[in-house]
Amino acid sequence: MLKVVVVGLGKFGSTLAVHLSREGAEVLAVDRNTRLAEAVADKVTVAVGFDATDLTNLEAYDAGAMDVGVVAIGENFEASVLVTMHLKNLGVPMVYAKALNDSQESVLRRVGADQVIKPEEDMGERLASHLLHDSVVDFVELPQGYSLRRIRVPEQWRDQSLAELQLLGKFKLNLVQVRRALPAEQKGDDPILERIPLPDGSMVLRSGDEIDVIGPDEELKKYD
Ligand code: ADP
């Protein structure tokens, strides 16, 4: 089960926390305003009122054990920076932070945010692409029991071609794309992420690759 800590329960953070919880994620929802935490208390796993810039509070609730952190603090940018740093230092593998503008985005990335969300701009972009290509969908509902998931290539598949592996025939997994981290061009830069859509049978999977596949939940569960 995906474990997510959401810090900041304004409109954005609380909507996110409640939806994630409804879809089965384990959600730790935090706001320094206790009333906002109480407002979602019966809709998330744990809701708590504390100041998340204080590292000891995050430690007390084991925020470092979460898979994903979302820093959804709005106006208080200093707090967003500190909380992003704390979550990364505690070992949260994927931290999303909300930014109000480009300069906030670059600071948040500097302090370790893996993804930066600019809700209004992101929505504007999405709406534009919907209007332009109405067959492009953000979310495709699959039949009950099927999902599109990103999985890390298991060790036993490494160095084998897709033709050899026969993911669809043997594992009922339909491959959509391979995500491969290539070494950075210059020292100190982040690795470059290569996305290879619909690769043919000659493609050889490597250790560290991730693949996006559609398949039955029963099968996908084996690769969690
Ligand atoms: P939105 O645009 O999503 O409504 P807001 O700026 O209104 O965003 O909400 C951000 C929330 O983050 C507020 O509820 C605020 O109390 C919370 N917040 C701000 N600083 C901290 C902090 N240090 N620790 C925990 N929550 C915080």
Side-chain angles (χ1 to χ4, degrees), residues 8 10-12 31-32 36 50-53 72-75 79 98:
K11 288 197 191 90
F12 176 74
D31 199 295
R32 66 175 174 187
L36 293 179
F50 64 65
D51 181 351
T53 59
I73 296 173
E75 301 297 319
K98 181 172 124 175

Side-chain angles (χ1 to χ4, degrees), residues 149 151 154 156 170-172 216-224:
R149 288 251 203 112
I151 62 179
Q156 66 270 24
K170 289 195 187 147
F171 305 94
K172 300 208 198 84
D217 293 338
E218 275 303 300
E219 188 63 33
L220 290 165
K221 226 168 44 190
K222 297 180 190 162
Y223 306 98
D224 276 349

Side-chain angles (χ1 to χ4, degrees), residues 43-56:
K43 302 188 193 97
V44 301
T45 321
V46 178
V48 54
F50 64 65
D51 181 351
T53 59
D54 184 340
L55 183 63
T56 52

Side-chain angles (χ1 to χ4, degrees), residues 46-215:
V46 178
V48 54
F50 64 65
D51 181 351
T53 59
D54 184 340
L55 183 63
T56 52
N57 286 331
L58 289 170
E59 281 173 329
Y61 282 85
D62 211 8
M66 300 288 155
D67 305 306
V68 179
V70 181
V71 184
I73 296 173
E75 301 297 319
N76 186 350
F77 184 59
E78 191 181 323
S80 298
V81 169
L82 276 169
V83 177
T84 302
M85 286 171 65
H86 287 339
L87 293 179
K88 284 314 290 180
N89 287 336
L90 288 172
V92 178
M94 194 59 164
V95 174
Y96 290 74
K98 181 172 124 175
L100 302 179
N101 54 46
D102 291 346
S103 50
Q104 288 193 355
E105 173 172 2
S106 60
V107 174
L108 290 165
R109 285 194 187 277
R110 281 276 150 148
V111 298
D114 300 285
Q115 294 280 347
V116 174
I117 319 145
K118 288 187 281 180
E120 302 216 326
E121 291 180 24
D122 294 350
M123 265 318 289
E125 255 177 53
R126 278 205 203 171
L127 179 59
S129 81
H130 265 298
L131 296 176
L132 290 167
H133 327 273
D134 58 9
S135 63
V136 177
V137 287
D138 295 325
F139 182 74
V140 182
E141 205 161 348
L142 294 170
Q144 179 96 31
Y146 286 80
S147 311
L148 167 62
R149 288 251 203 112
R150 176 160 303 155
I151 62 179
R152 194 164 279 283
V153 164
E155 276 303 297
Q156 66 270 24
W157 293 359
R158 160 183 113 165
D159 299 330
Q160 294 191 59
S161 71
L162 293 174
E164 286 167 317
L165 279 166
Q166 294 187 50
L167 294 181
L168 188 56
K170 289 195 187 147
F171 305 94
K172 300 208 198 84
L173 296 178
N174 201 338
L175 179 64
V176 179
Q177 68 169 348
V178 177
R179 292 161 48 91
R180 174 167 291 170
L182 301 174
E185 271 165 11
Q186 291 194 26
K187 238 178 121 203
D189 285 355
D190 289 334
I192 302 159
L193 177 69
E194 190 184 18
R195 295 188 188 84
I196 308 146
L198 305 176
D200 64 28
S202 64
M203 170 145 201
V204 175
L205 294 181
R206 295 187 197 155
S207 145
D209 285 349
E210 289 178 321
I211 52 176
D212 293 340
V213 288
I214 295 173

